[in-house]
Amino acid sequence: SLHDALPISNVGDNEVDIMVSGGTVSGISFIRNGSTVVTGVVAGMWRLTTNDSLNISYTGAPVITGFSR
């Protein structure tokens, strides 16, 4: 069955890079200032500024790695 991860959000003052890889991901959405963009990819790296989020839909959990900037 399909799972939706809780959004991965940057609530700090510094930018962070989030890498999503592996698992069985069906979609990743990027959320900024209330606007959601479906990325069209199932893996990659995104830079999140304060209050940005990613939402990941999956059936097999991906590996999510964060890098502070």
Side-chain angles (χ1 to χ4, degrees):
S1 66
L2 181 67
H3 298 282
D4 284 321
L6 292 174
I8 298 166
S9 299
N10 180 10
V11 295
D13 292 331
N14 298 317
E15 294 179 337
V16 295
D17 291 333
I18 301 294
M19 183 171 57
V20 180
S21 61
T24 307
V25 175
S26 58
I28 299 173
S29 297
F30 177 82
I31 302 132
R32 176 175 282 165
N33 296 327
S35 296
T36 301
V37 176
V38 176
T39 65
V41 298
V42 296
M45 186 176 293
W46 290 267
R47 180 163 299 156
L48 302 184
T49 60
T50 301
N51 297 320
D52 288 351
S53 299
L54 291 177
N55 191 50
I56 304 166
S57 298
Y58 65 91
T59 54
V63 175
I64 300 169
T65 309
F67 304 92
S68 58
R69 305 233 0 119

